[in-house]
Amino acid sequence: MTDLTRRTLLASGAALPLAATLPRPAAAEAPMMGASFARHRRFMIGGFEVTTILGGTTPREEPQGIFGMNVSPEEFAAVSEANFLSPDVSQFFFTPTVVNTGAELVLFDTGLNGPATTEALAAAGYSPDQIDIVVLTHMHGDHIGGMMTEGAPTFANARYVTGQAEYDFWAAAGNEGFDANVRPMAENMTFLGDGQDVVSGITGMAAFGHTPGHMVYRLESEGAGLVIFADLANHPVWSLARPDWEVRFDADKAMAAESRRRILGMIAADRIPAVGYHMPFPAVGYVDTGRDGAEFHWVPEAGQLMG
């Protein structure tokens, strides 16, 4: 051992007792920060850039008052326990989706209200004036609530697209939310039927039942696909996995179950990703055939879309 190395080791050793006596920072100097959550998730589907944005989240008590209304409390509790879910409270998520086709910036649903949605857009790097097209999957309040902000259109440069059957139903319903948020945009709105395109590569598909004209949208770009299924299924276990479990918010429960089974079956068979408006954020995943007594299974995206 050289003198230099010996001297270095001795010096280091001599310093240890002094270092051990120095005061350490108190744990209180690193305060609790509280729960946090990412506000957006961005990935590519072929040549389309897709971004899900968290427009809001809130707990709801007594979830069987919403899901599984036609099953016994014992069955609901057993399924919940098997899936690590509380039968007493559920966390709801509200997730609009932005698709950049390269030619248009398309927003699917507008969230609970304008300020919350524009804040989520800003966190993802967008401003409301950049939105070219707003697509309304259906017209429940948590999907149309962001269309207006303080009496003015939130997305001033956008045109609007929705299903013809959905618009016609709400236009005749005397609904306050529709009259305040959607009707003022009627002259700037295009109406679709089953199988018609918003733009090239984005096709509307009838999935009636949740509302009389509820639609889902299939993206196709460069051989890749994705389905934005909106409120077709509102929970991964209590709705998607069990299409026949009745959901309070479904207007026609039998038709909603048939639409779930048909669209989810297509997603599973085609093995393409999907976005669900109320799925746990970032709301992106896959649908597999069922297991453990369930007809379908939600598989959250786990890095497959990182490339």
Side-chain angles (χ1 to χ4, degrees):
M1 182 180 291
T2 66
D3 289 343
L4 178 59
T5 303
R6 186 180 296 110
R7 288 196 300 270
T8 302
L9 288 172
L10 289 171
S12 299
L16 285 175
L18 177 60
T21 64
L22 293 176
R24 295 181 180 179
E29 294 180 9
M32 296 292 184
M33 302 297 290
S36 66
F37 222 81
R39 295 296 301 274
H40 74 278
R41 168 77 170 92
R42 182 173 288 125
F43 54 94
M44 298 298 295
I45 295 295
F48 290 174
E49 187 177 72
V50 179
T51 306
T52 62
I53 62 171
L54 183 60
T57 181
T58 185
R60 296 280 178 88
E61 295 183 351
E62 298 182 5
Q64 199 180 3
I66 302 173
F67 303 105
M69 299 174 67
N70 57 332
V71 302
S72 69
E74 293 77 14
E75 181 179 358
F76 187 87
V79 168
S80 300
E81 181 179 2
N83 288 276
F84 304 94
L85 294 168
S86 167
D88 302 318
V89 64
S90 176
Q91 193 70 25
F92 262 62
F93 299 87
F94 305 86
T95 307
T97 299
V98 181
V99 177
N100 189 341
T101 69
E104 304 95 357
L105 197 63
V106 185
L107 173 66
F108 288 82
D109 293 323
T110 67
L112 294 156
N113 58 73
T117 300
T118 55
E119 180 183 342
L121 281 170
Y126 301 118
S127 60
D129 61 298
Q130 290 179 296
I131 302 298
D132 298 301
I133 303 171
V134 172
V135 177
L136 301 175
T137 62
H138 65 293
M139 297 183 185
H140 279 164
D142 56 328
H143 295 256
I144 65 172
M147 291 181 68
M148 304 288 283
T149 300
E150 296 182 352
T154 305
F155 309 100
N157 299 321
R159 62 183 180 88
Y160 298 82
V161 177
T162 195
Q164 182 74 64
E166 183 74 357
Y167 184 91
D168 290 348
F169 172 81
W170 291 102
N175 179 269
E176 182 178 346
F178 173 90
D179 290 339
N181 291 288
V182 182
R183 196 182 295 277
M185 308 300 183
E187 293 184 0
N188 197 25
M189 194 165 287
T190 301
F191 303 104
L192 300 182
D194 185 30
Q196 293 185 313
D197 289 350
V198 177
V199 295
S200 179
I202 302 179
T203 303
M205 302 172 64
F208 302 165
H210 180 65
T211 59
H214 179 275
M215 294 184 73
V216 304
Y217 290 84
R218 180 158 181 156
L219 278 56
E220 295 283 349
S221 175
E222 299 176 2
L226 174 140
V227 174
I228 297 172
F229 65 70
D231 284 19
L232 178 82
N234 297 62
H235 191 276
V237 173
W238 296 324
S239 178
L240 181 147
R242 294 161 175 80
D244 291 324
W245 277 27
E246 292 183 355
V247 179
R248 188 177 83 198
F249 302 122
D250 288 344
D252 185 324
K253 292 174 174 49
M255 185 180 293
E258 186 281 326
S259 290
R260 274 193 286 277
R261 187 167 285 112
R262 174 172 50 85
I263 298 295
L264 294 174
M266 176 197 71
I267 297 169
D270 292 350
R271 297 182 64 82
I272 57 175
V275 173
Y277 191 80
H278 294 294
M279 292 297 104
F281 196 78
V284 185
Y286 297 83
V287 177
D288 196 4
T289 50
R291 60 193 75 172
D292 300 326
E295 189 167 344
F296 295 103
H297 180 66
W298 177 248
V299 183
E301 189 266 344
Q304 298 96 323
L305 301 175
M306 292 289 289

